[in-house]
Amino acid sequence: MSVPTKLYEGKAKIIYLTDDPEILLAVFKDDATAFNAQKRGTIPEKGRINNSISSKLFQFLEARGIRTHFIDTPAANQMRIRAVKILPLEVVVRNIAAGSLCQQTGLPLGTVLKMPLVDFYYKNDQLGDPLLTRDRLLLMELATPEQVDSITHLALKINDFLKELFQRCNIILVDFKLEFGLDSQQQLLLADEISPDTCRLWDMSAGDDPNLRVLDKDRFRRDLGNVEDAYQEVLKRILNEL
Ligand code: 5GP
C-alpha cells in the first residue's frame, strides 16, 4: 500500500489525502498544546478519546439536521471527513463566563449568561487568534454576511442540542469552539472536532470546587493533573447516553 499524502498537520490532528478528492482522513494525535502552542505536552490516549467523542457528537448532531464533515471512523484515532475549505474563524459559544471572557470583561468566573454569547475569532496563530467584531470580519472578507448569519444560527442550534445532551451526562457545557468549512458545492458544514480539547465541561456531581469539576483541557492548561481520566470520563458518560 502506498504511503498516504499528508495535506496538513495541525496541533491536534494530521489530515491526509485519500483516493477520493472529496474525502480526507483525519488522524487525531495525543499531542496537546495551549496558550498559542507556548505550552506543549502529550495526553495518553487523547487521539482515540477525542476521535470517539467527536464522532459520537457529529453523528448526534447529524441526526438532528446539522450538516457536518463526518463520514465514519475507520480506526480508533481516525475519522474520514468530507473535504472542505475551512473558514479562518473560531466560533465560540458561551453559556457561562470562563476563560478569556472573564479576563477581558471582568465578569466573575461561573456567571451564568442570560443568553448564549457567540464570539468570532480570527484563526491566525501569528496574530494570536484575535477577537473580531462583525464589521471587522466582513471588512477582512473572512465570510459573507449570509455566512455569518448562518453560522450564528447553526452555532446556537448546536449549543441547544449539546447543552441538553451534556446535561443528561451530568455535565455543564460552559463554552466551546466550532469551526466551519465550505464543501465543493459551497455548502456550510460543521468541521474540525468537538471534544474536551475544544469545550469547557464541568462535572455537575463535583460541586463548586473550581478544580475538581474540570473535565476538559483546562486540566492540562492549568496543570491540574488526571487529564486522561477526565477525558475518559467524558467519553464514558457520552457512550452511556448515545
Ligand atoms: P477562551 O476564549 O476562553 O480561551 O476559549 C473559549 C472556549 O473555546 C474554550 O472551550 C476553549 O477550549 C475553546 N477554544 C478557543 N480557542 C481555541 C483554540 O485555539 N483551540 C482549542 N482547542 N480550543 C479553543
Side-chain angles (χ1 to χ4, degrees):
M1 231 174 73
S2 60
V3 180
T5 306
K6 197 191 278 190
L7 178 66
Y8 167 81
E9 178 156 5
K11 293 172 208 143
K13 291 182 288 299
I14 306 174
I15 309 292
Y16 292 97
L17 297 174
T18 71
D19 294 340
D20 183 337
E22 300 276 341
I23 296 177
L24 301 173
L25 182 73
V27 177
F28 284 63
K29 303 196 285 187
D30 292 345
D31 299 350
T33 62
F35 312 118
N36 207 2
Q38 285 170 46
K39 180 181 169 82
R40 290 171 184 274
T42 337
I43 301 171
E45 294 299 311
K46 181 171 84 79
R48 289 161 183 261
I49 300 169
N50 280 358
N51 186 41
S52 302
I53 293 174
S54 278
S55 300
K56 280 281 167 195
L57 295 180
F58 282 143
Q59 289 172 84
F60 167 80
L61 291 170
E62 286 272 356
R64 282 151 188 81
I66 306 285
R67 282 200 301 259
T68 80
H69 70 163
F70 175 82
I71 299 173
D72 59 15
T73 48
N77 65 338
Q78 296 178 10
M79 188 190 290
R80 288 199 317 144
I81 55 178
R82 277 173 248 286
V84 292
K85 188 168 176 288
I86 295 281
L87 297 173
L89 294 171
E90 297 194 343
V91 183
V92 172
V93 185
R94 302 173 189 276
N95 297 304
I96 291 182
S100 71
L101 180 64
C102 295
Q103 284 157 20
Q104 292 168 2
T105 64
L107 273 176
L109 175 70
T111 306
V112 178
L113 307 186
K114 287 200 183 102
M115 278 169 35
L117 176 66
V118 181
D119 280 331
F120 288 85
Y121 296 83
Y122 182 24
K123 192 172 148 70
N124 183 316
D125 284 342
Q126 278 182 342
L127 296 176
D129 297 344
L131 178 63
L132 292 166
T133 62
R134 182 185 168 93
D135 285 349
R136 285 189 185 196
L137 190 165
L138 296 177
L139 170 81
M140 295 163 70
E141 298 183 349
L142 302 177
T144 65
E146 295 75 25
Q147 285 167 346
V148 177
D149 292 344
S150 299
I151 288 172
T152 306
H153 179 71
L154 278 170
L156 289 171
K157 254 169 80 171
I158 292 166
N159 183 47
D160 283 344
F161 292 135
L162 291 183
K163 220 167 45 173
E164 185 265 336
L165 171 66
F166 278 114
Q167 169 103 29
R168 285 196 269 132
C169 298
N170 220 16
I171 289 173
I172 299 172
L173 179 59
V174 174
D175 57 30
F176 57 99
K177 185 257 300 180
L178 300 173
E179 293 185 26
F180 291 87
L182 298 171
D183 69 9
S184 52
Q185 275 92 55
Q186 298 299 107
Q187 301 247 47
L188 203 53
L189 299 188
L190 176 62
D192 194 46
E193 65 177 280
I194 310 176
S195 72
D197 267 10
T198 62
C199 303
R200 282 199 174 89
L201 303 168
W202 290 353
D203 186 356
M204 289 162 76
S205 47
D208 285 339
D209 185 309
N211 293 344
L212 271 182
R213 67 188 176 190
V214 175
L215 292 176
D216 57 67
K217 196 169 159 187
D218 275 350
R219 294 208 78 80
F220 170 77
R221 292 187 185 103
R222 291 162 46 203
D223 292 318
L224 297 177
N226 300 324
V227 189
E228 184 194 340
D229 291 347
Y231 280 47
Q232 291 279 16
E233 183 63 25
V234 174
L235 174 59
K236 192 179 94 187
R237 293 195 200 179
I238 288 174
L239 290 178
N240 266 338
E241 287 301 322
L242 297 180

